[in-house]
Amino acid sequence: MLISPPVVRIGCWNVNALRVRLPLVECWLKTEHIDIALLQETKVMDKDFPENALKNTGYYSAFWGQKSYNGVAILSRWPLSDVVHLDLNDTGAARCIQATTQGFRVCCVYIPQGQEFDRPAFREKLSFLNGLFHHIAPYVQDYTPTIIGGDFNIALNDEDVWDGDLWRNRVMCSIPERKRLRKILWNGWTMAQWRIKHQKNPATWWAYQHGAWRKQHGLCIDSFLLSPRASDLLSRFWVSQHWRGEQHTSDHAPIGMELYTRNTTSPTF
DNA sequence: ATGACGCCTATTAGGCGA
C-alpha cells in the first residue's frame, strides 16, 4: 500500500516507437521519479503493448495503439479508472486516451502534425483541435484537477521556435492552428511552461535531420495544459532536454511537472 | 539536393513523421 506523497510527478514524452525505446523510457521513469507518464507515438498494437514489463517496473498502464503509426498510453503507479479512447476528429487514429488516477483526470494527446496546408492531414489537425476544445471544455469548471498533456505539434508563438522568422506561417506555426490552440487556452487552460516563463520556452523537439540537435535548432511543441484546479496545484515544470542527446533516442525530449496533492480552498463550483 | 534521420512494414525499397 502506497502512502500518498505531498506531490505527484507527471511526465510526458513522444517516444517515437515504445518497443525500441522501452529501455530508455524505463531509465527516464526511474531517474526522474515519474509517478504518472503520458506517452505518444507508441507505434504498437494493444496485443503487443509491453504491459507486463511496465507492471514489473511498477506502473499500471492504459493504452490505445494501432499498427505502425500513432498510439498513446498512460502509465501510473496507481490504478487507472474511467479509461476512454477518444477519436476527436473521426479518423479512427489512436491519438487520445484519458483516464483518472490518484484523483487526477489525465488526458494524453498526440495531435496530428498536419503534413502540408493543402493535404487532408492539415484539415484533420484543425478538426482534432476543434474536437479537443469541446471535449475538455466541461473540465474547466470541474473540481477534479485535469491535465491535458502531449505532443501538440504547434509552436504557439515565434519565441517557441529556434528561428521564428524562418518558421513563420509554416505547418506547426501557422495562424489557423495557433488560433485554435489559443482558443483552448482562453477557455481557461494554463500551459505548464508559464510556470517558468522564459523569453524563449525551452525546446522539446529537434528534427533527426540537418544536425538539428547539435545546432540546437528546436521547437517547443510538447506541453501540459492545466485546468484551473490543476493549475492551482502546479509546483514545478521542466524540460529534460538531455534525453534528446542519448544514443537511439526519440526526436522529442520529455517534459515533466510536479503537482501538490494537498487540497486547495474550494471556490463555489 | 525530389536529400538528410529513424522507425515502420516487409525484404531491401517505400511510407511517414515533423
Side-chain angles (χ1 to χ4, degrees):
Chain A
M1 185 66 187
L2 283 164
I3 305 297
S4 286
V7 293
V8 62
R9 291 166 65 89
I10 304 180
C12 177
W13 198 0
N14 178 324
V15 296
N16 187 9
L18 180 58
R19 281 172 295 181
V20 296
R21 214 74 69 205
L22 193 58
L24 198 64
V25 169
E26 294 198 317
C27 188
W28 164 67
L29 291 169
K30 185 175 182 177
T31 58
E32 299 206 6
H33 308 285
I34 300 296
D35 298 312
I36 300 168
L38 288 63
L39 308 179
Q40 301 85 40
E41 274 206 91
T42 54
K43 296 186 178 179
V44 58
M45 288 194 286
D46 290 349
K47 67 179 176 66
D48 298 319
F49 191 89
E51 188 175 16
N52 290 330
L54 288 163
K55 190 76 218 300
N56 291 335
T57 312
Y59 296 90
Y60 296 93
S61 48
F63 41 88
W64 181 27
Q66 64 184 82
K67 198 173 183 176
S68 305
Y69 307 112
N70 307 320
V72 280
I74 301 172
L75 314 181
S76 176
R77 292 193 197 278
W78 303 280
L80 293 145
S81 61
D82 307 312
V83 176
V84 279
H85 301 174
L86 294 152
D87 183 4
L88 295 175
N89 60 358
D90 299 314
T91 58
R95 291 181 175 274
C96 182
I97 188 170
Q98 179 176 300
T100 300
T101 185
Q102 188 68 356
F104 292 93
R105 181 186 290 115
V106 178
C107 185
C108 173
V109 294
Y110 173 42
I111 291 178
Q113 188 270 344
Q115 297 180 349
E116 303 290 341
F117 295 117
D118 56 359
R119 301 255 190 100
F122 192 76
R123 286 188 292 279
E124 288 166 12
K125 181 178 198 175
L126 300 184
S127 152
F128 191 99
L129 288 160
N130 293 343
L132 183 62
F133 174 90
H134 291 293
H135 170 66
I136 67 179
Y139 303 147
V140 172
Q141 308 218 17
D142 197 296
Y143 190 68
T144 301
T146 301
I147 294 132
I148 317 299
D151 175 3
F152 287 80
N153 272 316
I154 299 169
L156 188 62
N157 295 299
D158 289 349
E159 291 72 26
D160 297 325
V161 181
W162 63 276
D163 186 335
D165 292 330
L166 181 68
W167 279 81
R168 190 164 300 126
N169 294 324
R170 284 164 61 166
V171 172
M172 295 200 284
C173 294
S174 74
I175 302 295
E177 45 195 313
R178 283 180 170 176
K179 274 176 86 165
R180 278 165 179 80
L181 181 52
R182 193 161 274 112
K183 180 180 170 180
I184 290 172
L185 297 171
W186 285 8
N187 202 38
W189 295 90
T190 297
M191 275 184 79
Q193 273 87 348
W194 296 345
R195 185 69 181 75
I196 54 173
K197 208 56 174 167
H198 293 310
Q199 277 255 304
K200 289 180 85 73
N201 277 326
T204 62
W205 171 82
W206 301 256
Y208 282 123
Q209 300 103 314
H210 323 292
W213 167 250
R214 179 175 45 82
K215 291 187 273 192
Q216 284 299 296
H217 288 179
L219 276 63
C220 172
I221 56 175
D222 299 87
S223 188
F224 295 109
L225 310 188
L226 301 134
S227 71
R229 166 78 171 136
S231 169
D232 220 6
L233 299 169
L234 179 61
S235 152
R236 299 179 55 208
F237 171 82
W238 62 90
V239 181
S240 299
Q241 294 188 335
H242 68 94
W243 295 101
R244 181 61 180 83
E246 294 290 326
Q247 291 289 312
H248 309 296
T249 193
S250 170
D251 47 351
H252 292 253
I255 60 176
M257 66 176 178
E258 203 172 75
L259 300 181
Y260 296 112
T261 54
R262 60 163 167 71
N263 290 327
T264 49
T265 308
S266 175
T268 52
F269 274 122

